[in-house]
Amino acid sequence: MAAINSVTDLVREGDIAVITLNSPPVNALSSNVRDGLHDGFKAAIEDPDAKAIVLICDGRTFIAGADISEFGGASKGASLFDVQNLMENSPKPVIAAIHGTALGGGLEVALVAHYRVAVPSAKVGLPEVNLGLLPGAGGTQRLPRIVGAQKALEMMTSGSHVGAKAANAMGLVDEVVEEGKLREGAIAFAKRVLAENLPLKKVRDREVSADPQVFADFRKANARKFRGFKAPESNIQCIEAAVNLPFDEGLKVERQLFMELVTGAQSAAQRYVFFAERQANKIPDVGPEVETLPIKSVGVIGAGTMGGGISMNFLNAGIPVKIVEMKQEALDRGLGVIRKNYENTAKKGRLTQDDVEKRMAALSGSLELSDLADCDLIIEAVFENMEIKKDIFAKLDKIAKPGAILASNTSYLNVDEIASATSRPESVIGLHFFSPANVMRLLEIVRGDKTSKPVIATSMKLAKTIGKVGVLVGVCPGFVGNRMLSQRQQQAQALVAEGAMPWDVDRVLYDFGFPMGPFAMSDLAGLDIGWSAEKSSSSTIREVLCEMDRRGQKTGAGYYDYDENRNAKPSPVTEKIIQDFAAKAGTNPRKIEDDEILERTIFTMINEGAKILEEGKAIRASDIDIVWINGYGWPVYRGGPMHYADSIGLPKVLERLKHYQAQMGDAFKPAALLEKLAGEGKGFKDL
Ligand code: 3HC
C-alpha cells in the first residue's frame, strides 16, 4: 500500500492499479482530494506494471461533488480539470467504481473514466442546480452525450439522483456489480477490459443531437417551476451548447455560465441554505451522546386535515399509527380521506396499490384515548383551544405508558402551559407540522422549559426519519414561523387600509419569489377559518367578505374573483368594500409604491426575527431561514429572511425601519440586536 497523500492510496493487485480515496464524510473534491487524485493517477499511469486503473472510495460514498465550502475561496492545488485530463487521456483504461452517491463533480470525475461500474444501491446525479449552479467540470457536455438531451434536461434541472439500475439502462453505468463486492467487481471488470482489449471510451467523442423544439417545449412546460431561478436556464443553455457546438466550444459556454452563477447572489444563497439545513440538526446542549427513544408506534388525536396529514408521514415511513377521534363519523371520514389521498397518488403512478394497502393496514382508528396506552409517541392535533388541549394532556398523563413522548401540534399556544397539565412535563414537546402536513417539509420542534434532552434528540431524529427538516424553537406565541408571519400579515392589512389593493401586495411578494401573496393565500385557505357568522359584525374587510359568502376559492370568490378554473381576477366588489372602509375611517387612500410594500412586509419580519434571536427562541439566524424556506415558501434563492437582510446590509434594513417608525410608530421600532449588529458593521451570520 502506498499512500499518495493523507486521503489517497495507491495499490496494485496483479496488473490493476487501485486508487482509493478516503476523505470523510463524503469524499468531496477538496484541494487535498484533487491533489491525491492527480498524483495517484500520475503514479498509476507511470507504473509500468499497471495495465488498468480502478478508482474507488472508502466510507459511505463515492465522491459526492466539489467541496462546496471551498467555493468563493482562492483555488489551490491541482484543478479538477487537471485531474480529469489525466484520467480521460490515460493510455490505460480507467474504471470508476461507484457506491453511495456519485454527485456533481463526483459524477463528472466518473464521466471521464472510460468505464463505470456501480453497486445496485448506488445513485448518480448532477444536483448542482439545487445550489444555484450547473455542473462545471464538463458534466453539461458529457451527460447529454450519454443520456440524450431530454433526459439530461430532466436530470440537470431537477438535480435528481438516478439509481444504478436506471443509470445502467441509460448507459451512464456500464455494469452493476454485486452489492458489497464493489472492489472485486471493479477489478474483475478491469481485467475483462484488458482481456477483451476493449477500447478507451471517451464520452467527449460521442455525438448528441436534438430538435430545437425539445428545448422550447421543456422551457414552456417548466416555466412556473423555474420562475425566479437563474440556474435552470443556464443548465438548459449548456445542454443546447452540447447539442449545437463541438465539445471544446461547449465547455467554454459551460465555464462562462458556471462563473456567472458561482459568483452570483442566488448560488451564494442556495449554498448557504445547504449548510444551514444541516446546521439546524445541531443542538448545542443536545449532543450525539444523548440517547434517543425508540418510536415504533404513534398515536394521533384528531382525524381532521392536520391529524390525517401527520399520520401519513409515519405510515409512509413504515411506522404504525392509531388515530383517535370523538365520533365514529369523523373518524371514518378521516380514515377515508387518507385512503383517498393514497389512492390518488397510486393513480398518478407514484405508489403501487400494494403500498397503498400496506400503509392502510398499518393505520387503525379508535374512539378511546385509552387505546393509545402502548404508543411511543402521541401527537395531539385538535383545534387550537388551550382548555381542550390541557384536558387531553391531563388524560394522556394517566393513559400513556411511562417514557412516551406527548406532543402537541399547536401552531402558537404555550407548550409549557400544556405540559403543566401533566405530571411529566419532561415528556412534553411541540411538534408543529405545516399544512398540508404530508407535503410540507418543515417541522417546528418546540422545546418547553422542562422538555428532556432525549425527547428533543428523538424528535430531531424522527423529523429526518419522516423526511422533514426539523428546527428546534422555543416557546413564544406563534414560535418562529407564525410569529414572523403575523408581522407580515399586519403590514399587509395596514397597506390595504392605506390605499394598496390586495393584488398590489400579492404581486410584490409574488415577484419577490413567494409562490403567492398573503391575500391569495387567505383565499386558498378559506377566509372563514376562525370566523363565525354569529359573531361577525362587519368590523373588518374579511368579515364583510365572509358575510357576503365570499369565503375564498372554495366559494368562487374572496379577496379575488375566480373563474371555473380557479384563475384569480382582481375584484371590483372587494375594491369597493376597501374604499368604503377607508371612507368610514376617514383615511385618504394614497398610492403606495412597490418598494414600500416590500419593505414594510419583509423588514418587519426580519425585525421580528432579530427579536426572536435576542430572546433565544431560535438557536441561530440560519434556523429562522430554514423555517421560512421550508414552511412558508420563502424563495430559496434569497436564502431566507435573515440571510436576505445580511445580503442587502443591516444598516439599510435599520434605516428603513427607522424611517417608517418616524411616520407610523412603534410597529417598526428596530430590535436592539438589529441596532447593535448594524452599528458594529456585522450581520446575523456573525452571531
Ligand atoms: N461539499 C462539502 N461538504 C459536503 C458536501 C459537499 N459537496 N456534501 C456533503 N457535505 C457535508 C455536509 O455538510 C455534512 O457535514 P456535517 O456533518 O458537518 O453537517 C456531511 O458532509 C454529511 O452530509 P449530509 O448530512 O448531507 O449526509 P447525507 O448522508 O444525508 O447525504 C449526500 C449525503 C447525498 C452526499 C448529501 O450530503 C449531498 O447531497 N451533498 C451535496 C451533493 C452536491 O450537491 N454535489 C454537487 C456539489 S457542486 C459541484 O460538484 C460543482 C461541480 O460541478 C464543479
Side-chain angles (χ1 to χ4, degrees):
M1 170 89 63
I4 295 291
N5 70 0
S6 60
V7 294
T8 320
D9 286 329
L10 171 64
V11 290
R12 200 158 35 69
E13 295 210 5
D15 51 5
I16 311 295
V18 180
I19 297 173
T20 308
L21 204 58
N22 186 6
S23 179
V26 295
N27 291 308
L29 291 158
S30 61
S31 61
N32 216 11
V33 168
R34 295 194 307 268
D35 282 344
L37 284 175
H38 184 269
D39 296 350
F41 273 100
K42 199 156 171 286
I45 291 167
E46 283 168 3
D47 177 357
D49 295 325
K51 301 284 182 276
I53 308 167
V54 166
L55 169 63
I56 191 165
C57 292
D58 268 351
R60 64 212 245 202
T61 178
F62 191 75
I63 303 164
D67 187 333
I68 306 167
S69 61
E70 279 189 0
F71 286 137
S75 65
K76 52 179 184 170
S79 80
L80 191 48
F81 293 108
D82 295 339
V83 174
Q84 288 180 308
N85 281 337
L86 263 182
M87 290 175 69
E88 196 167 47
N89 297 320
S90 157
K92 306 169 182 181
V94 174
I95 292 100
I98 302 171
H99 77 295
T101 43
L103 300 176
L107 180 57
E108 292 175 295
V109 166
L111 285 175
V112 292
H114 304 111
Y115 295 95
R116 287 156 294 280
V117 300
V119 287
S121 60
K123 292 192 171 127
V124 303
L126 293 175
E128 283 88 343
V129 72
N130 296 327
L131 299 168
L133 293 172
L134 54 82
T140 66
Q141 303 305 295
R142 290 192 178 87
L143 185 78
R145 282 178 161 77
I146 298 183
V147 305
Q150 180 67 39
K151 282 218 170 75
L153 284 168
E154 286 158 16
M155 277 179 73
M156 280 166 46
T157 60
S158 70
S160 61
H161 301 181
V162 177
K165 216 172 130 202
N168 184 227
M170 288 181 197
L172 262 177
V173 162
D174 298 285
E175 188 167 275
V176 179
V177 303
E178 198 182 326
E179 197 71 53
K181 299 237 166 101
L182 182 60
R183 190 183 168 91
E184 298 91 311
I187 290 176
F189 187 90
K191 286 187 171 156
R192 210 166 73 229
V193 171
L194 293 176
E196 295 176 17
N197 205 12
L198 297 179
L200 301 182
K201 289 208 272 183
K202 289 186 190 176
V203 177
R204 60 179 286 145
D205 294 339
R206 298 196 195 186
E207 298 284 327
V208 56
S209 62
D211 190 321
Q213 196 59 37
V214 167
F215 297 98
D217 290 348
F218 190 78
R219 283 190 172 97
K220 195 161 164 224
N222 290 286
R224 242 176 102 114
K225 197 165 126 204
F226 298 158
R227 182 178 72 91
F229 287 91
K230 289 194 192 320
E233 173 56 27
S234 301
N235 274 274
I236 297 172
Q237 286 179 18
C238 285
I239 301 170
E240 278 178 323
V243 167
N244 298 326
L245 299 174
F247 185 85
D248 287 319
E249 294 301 308
L251 268 191
K252 281 188 201 152
V253 173
E254 176 189 284
R255 183 89 313 237
Q256 190 202 329
L257 293 175
F258 180 83
M259 290 315 294
E260 279 172 22
L261 290 177
V262 79
T263 51
Q266 288 204 349
S267 177
Q270 288 177 261
R271 288 178 340 243
Y272 160 86
V273 171
F274 176 86
F275 288 113
E277 201 173 305
R278 281 148 185 86
Q279 190 73 7
N281 279 319
K282 295 170 185 139
I283 315 298
D285 66 331
V286 185
E289 74 287 353
V290 176
E291 270 191 46
T292 55
L293 312 162
I295 303 294
K296 297 213 173 69
S297 61
V298 173
V300 173
I301 305 169
T305 314
M306 241 13 233
I310 291 171
S311 302
M312 288 174 74
N313 289 304
F314 295 99
L315 297 171
N316 296 347
I319 303 172
V321 175
K322 216 177 270 175
I323 301 193
V324 173
E325 250 300 345
M326 305 249 285
K327 295 216 168 77
Q328 187 67 44
E329 200 195 341
L331 180 61
D332 291 345
R333 197 177 331 119
L335 298 181
V337 169
I338 295 180
R339 172 170 280 282
K340 211 166 132 215
N341 284 343
Y342 280 137
E343 303 271 358
N344 284 340
T345 312
K347 265 190 219 145
K348 290 180 197 145
R350 294 205 300 261
L351 205 62
T352 64
Q353 194 56 38
D354 202 33
D355 284 334
V356 174
E357 296 312 328
K358 260 194 216 138
R359 285 166 204 208
M360 289 310 293
L363 174 66
S364 57
S366 167
L367 299 176
E368 300 297 335
L369 273 184
S370 56
D371 280 340
L372 301 179
D374 58 351
C375 290
D376 298 316
L377 162 68
I378 302 172
I379 305 173
E380 162 277 309
V382 305
F383 57 90
E384 297 281 22
N385 177 302
M386 181 56 91
E387 289 320 306
I388 294 177
K389 288 193 194 264
K390 280 170 89 168
D391 182 52
I392 289 176
F393 273 75
K395 285 182 180 141
L396 285 180
D397 191 28
K398 303 210 166 59
I399 292 165
K401 67 180 182 187
I405 297 180
L406 308 181
S408 173
N409 177 51
T410 181
S411 58
Y412 63 90
L413 293 176
N414 186 325
V415 172
D416 290 326
E417 191 177 341
I418 296 175
S420 73
T422 74
S423 64
R424 40 172 139 172
E426 69 282 0
S427 294
V428 178
I429 196 160
L431 292 181
H432 179 208
F433 288 83
F434 286 69
S435 190
N438 53 321
V439 177
M440 297 297 284
R441 279 185 85 216
L442 178 64
L443 181 62
E444 267 188 335
I445 299 177
V446 192
R447 174 183 200 159
D449 267 352
K450 299 198 173 121
T451 309
S452 77
K453 291 183 183 181
V455 167
I456 293 169
T458 306
S459 302
M460 293 300 294
K461 186 172 159 206
L462 194 63
K464 258 196 153 172
T465 308
I466 59 173
K468 304 272 178 221
V469 187
V471 179
L472 192 68
V473 301
V475 175
C476 58
F479 316 124
V480 167
N482 282 344
R483 177 168 164 181
M484 287 165 70
L485 179 69
S486 101
Q487 293 298 321
R488 194 182 83 175
Q489 295 297 81
Q490 280 171 36
Q491 287 308 315
Q493 297 294 347
L495 285 159
V496 165
E498 292 165 37
M501 284 294 137
W503 30 96
D504 297 327
V505 177
D506 281 355
R507 175 181 44 76
V508 169
L509 289 168
Y510 178 82
D511 287 347
F512 183 76
F514 282 99
M516 61 180 78
F519 296 100
M521 187 71 214
S522 297
D523 272 3
L524 179 67
L527 298 187
D528 53 355
I529 294 179
W531 173 82
S532 90
E534 301 81 55
K535 291 191 194 140
S536 192
S537 58
S538 313
S539 66
T540 62
I541 294 162
R542 185 176 74 113
E543 280 193 346
V544 174
L545 289 168
C546 285
E547 288 160 17
M548 294 168 76
D549 214 27
R550 297 178 64 98
R551 299 185 190 188
Q553 284 198 19
K554 61 185 172 188
T555 55
Y559 286 106
Y560 293 82
D561 290 335
Y562 293 89
D563 66 16
E564 59 284 1
N565 297 321
R566 295 205 169 189
N567 292 317
K569 257 196 347 246
S571 166
V573 178
T574 305
E575 192 166 342
K576 173 86 175 34
I577 297 171
I578 291 170
Q579 284 160 353
D580 290 349
F581 263 89
K584 232 191 298 164
T587 45
N588 219 348
R590 64 186 171 94
K591 160 118 184 70
I592 301 183
E593 298 298 334
D594 289 358
D595 278 354
E596 179 173 345
I597 293 177
L598 191 69
E599 288 171 355
R600 284 175 58 183
T601 49
I602 301 285
F603 290 4
T604 46
M605 274 175 48
I606 293 166
N607 198 35
E608 196 65 28
K611 290 180 194 165
I612 286 171
L613 286 170
E614 255 165 33
E615 295 166 25
K617 302 299 180 190
I619 296 171
R620 43 184 95 81
S622 61
D623 286 4
I624 297 179
D625 289 331
I626 293 304
V627 164
W628 268 82
I629 287 167
N630 293 290
Y632 299 84
W634 180 284
V636 61
Y637 56 80
R638 293 193 197 273
M642 310 318 273
H643 174 85
Y644 177 68
D646 279 353
S647 71
I648 57 175
L650 298 194
K652 153 121 191 188
V653 179
L654 183 65
E655 183 270 310
R656 297 312 290 161
L657 283 169
K658 283 186 170 160
H659 165 84
Y660 293 117
Q661 184 188 15
Q663 286 180 3
M664 295 169 215
D666 280 352
F668 298 91
K669 185 168 188 282
L673 179 66
L674 179 60
E675 297 245 25
K676 178 170 172 289
L677 289 173
E680 292 169 354
K682 291 185 177 160
F684 292 117
K685 66 178 184 314
D686 301 312
L687 284 173

